[in-house]
Amino acid sequence: MPKPGFPGVTLLILAALTACSDVPAALPATEQIATPIAPAAPPASKPVTARPPMLPQLPRGGRQIFPAHQLVAFVGAPGSPALGPLDRDLDERVRRLERLGASYRAGRTLLPVMELIVVTAQGAPGRDGKYRSRIDPDQIDKYLAVARRYKTLLMLDVQPGQAKPLDEVRRLEPWLKQPDVGLAVDPEWQVGPGQVPGRVFGRTSGAELSAIGGYLSTLVAQHKLPEKLFVYHQLSQPIVRDEAALRTHRGVATVKSVDGIGTSSQKIATYNGLTKALPKGVRSGFKLFYQEDTRHGPLMTPPQVLAVRPRPDLVIYE
């Protein structure tokens, strides 16, 4: 006789097992593990463009001298106190220049200048008959190191004697191609054949000055330099002939320094006469002499100098 089946019992057992299980058939929504979301693909990276190198700057930042800056300078040469205060103790003298320069700011940024006479006219012809002497290059480097320590401009001054001014300037190219070195020329000491500096006043022309400015402009372009300071000194009208031929050049800040000597009224009269017809783009400078001026009265004060018109962009003490 066949064994009877137990279909009902089987179903009851299965139902009981299902009811007693510790694992629910489906987790509540709050307890379900979310399906992880695949991270988004990173955006396509843009090609990295290398920043261009920073262009050379002026000692206290920026690439343009005017109109933002007020320049105040001391002149000198090693061991020559008669030529100005920059003859020795350079650190002390530059700190003094900084204090003095603060009196001239009047709303502008002060930029002190060390004017180093690197070519000096002399009364004897010398070995090459050019009536001038040149400073040792090591001395230029020494002054430049001090200028950089105090973030000042170094300006190289040339008194040509019988030499050609542009020839003397070109010899200074290793320094002039630096961003913190400017140039000054002093045509009072530029004489012709048969003439002796100091016995006669030298002379230059607007065209000759323009050629020097053009040379400096070329250096600025070649070496991507900030604006280059170019100063020409003038004591009296005949020293610069045909000044109207002087052209300013790209990247070169050209300044005429009026070097009048005498009482304050005499100095102002000289300044007025030499600045009333400045070539276009040329700025003005005013020079004070510690020895020569004080023979005629007290040295002019910063407020007195700032009161002259046009306001001097450069004030020089010798």
Side-chain angles (χ1 to χ4, degrees):
M1 180 173 181
K3 293 181 179 179
F6 303 96
V9 174
T10 303
L11 290 174
L12 288 172
I13 293 172
L14 289 174
L17 289 172
T18 301
C20 294
S21 173
D22 291 332
V23 181
L27 289 171
T30 54
E31 297 181 25
Q32 291 183 19
I33 300 174
T35 303
I37 301 173
S45 59
K46 295 181 179 179
V48 177
T49 303
R51 290 184 179 180
M54 187 175 181
L55 294 173
Q57 304 285 299
L58 292 167
R60 302 193 176 189
R63 288 177 52 81
Q64 189 170 346
I65 297 175
F66 300 120
H69 294 91
Q70 175 66 51
L71 275 54
V72 182
F74 274 173
V75 184
S80 301
L83 297 179
L86 289 183
D87 60 321
R88 58 187 176 84
D89 300 330
L90 296 182
D91 290 88
E92 185 274 328
R93 301 296 166 88
V94 176
R95 288 193 292 266
R96 175 179 153 197
L97 173 61
E98 184 84 38
R99 293 191 298 270
L100 176 62
S103 302
Y104 283 97
R105 285 181 301 199
R108 296 182 181 178
T109 300
L110 172 65
L111 183 54
V113 179
M114 297 172 63
E115 183 174 358
L116 172 63
I117 302 174
V118 294
V119 180
T120 306
Q122 58 185 20
R127 284 185 291 182
D128 60 0
K130 297 300 183 182
Y131 287 85
R132 55 93 180 90
S133 61
R134 296 167 175 161
I135 196 172
D136 191 306
D138 289 343
Q139 290 288 352
I140 302 178
D141 292 335
K142 175 184 176 181
Y143 276 71
L144 181 55
V146 175
R148 287 177 171 169
R149 187 151 61 240
Y150 294 95
K151 296 184 178 180
T152 74
L153 273 178
L154 178 66
M155 182 165 67
L156 307 181
D157 185 291
V158 174
Q159 301 176 358
Q162 287 189 14
K164 293 181 179 180
L166 190 54
D167 289 347
E168 295 299 317
V169 170
R170 288 183 182 277
R171 291 188 68 257
L172 300 172
E173 185 167 317
W175 297 277
L176 291 174
K177 66 184 182 182
Q178 301 298 317
D180 49 358
V181 179
L183 175 73
V185 293
D186 202 342
E188 173 189 346
W189 302 99
Q190 177 182 329
V191 298
Q195 296 179 326
V196 177
R199 295 184 187 175
V200 297
F201 281 125
R203 298 196 304 175
T204 189
S205 67
E208 188 168 50
L209 293 172
S210 195
I212 294 173
Y215 165 73
L216 295 176
S217 181
T218 299
L219 291 183
V220 169
Q222 287 178 345
H223 301 283
K224 297 180 172 57
L225 301 176
E227 198 167 37
K228 180 73 65 180
L229 180 62
F230 172 40
V231 175
Y232 64 99
H233 292 277
Q234 188 172 359
L235 175 63
S236 63
Q237 195 72 47
I239 288 175
V240 181
R241 307 183 315 273
D242 191 21
E243 191 177 11
L246 171 57
R247 298 288 182 267
T248 54
H249 297 269
R250 186 178 181 84
V252 178
T254 305
V255 179
K256 175 200 279 197
S257 172
V258 177
D259 293 3
I261 297 175
T263 64
S264 59
S265 59
Q266 289 172 329
K267 290 176 71 69
I268 291 172
T270 301
Y271 182 80
N272 291 340
L274 292 179
T275 58
K276 65 182 178 182
L278 283 173
K280 184 179 179 181
V282 175
R283 293 179 174 268
S284 62
F286 196 95
K287 193 168 187 179
L288 298 160
F289 295 86
Y290 281 117
Q291 295 182 17
E292 289 91 339
D293 286 351
T294 53
R295 293 175 187 150
H296 306 276
L299 195 68
M300 289 179 67
T301 65
Q304 288 175 317
V305 175
L306 287 173
V308 303
R309 292 293 178 267
R311 169 180 168 168
D313 294 288
L314 166 66
V315 179
I316 302 175
Y317 285 81
E318 181 177 313

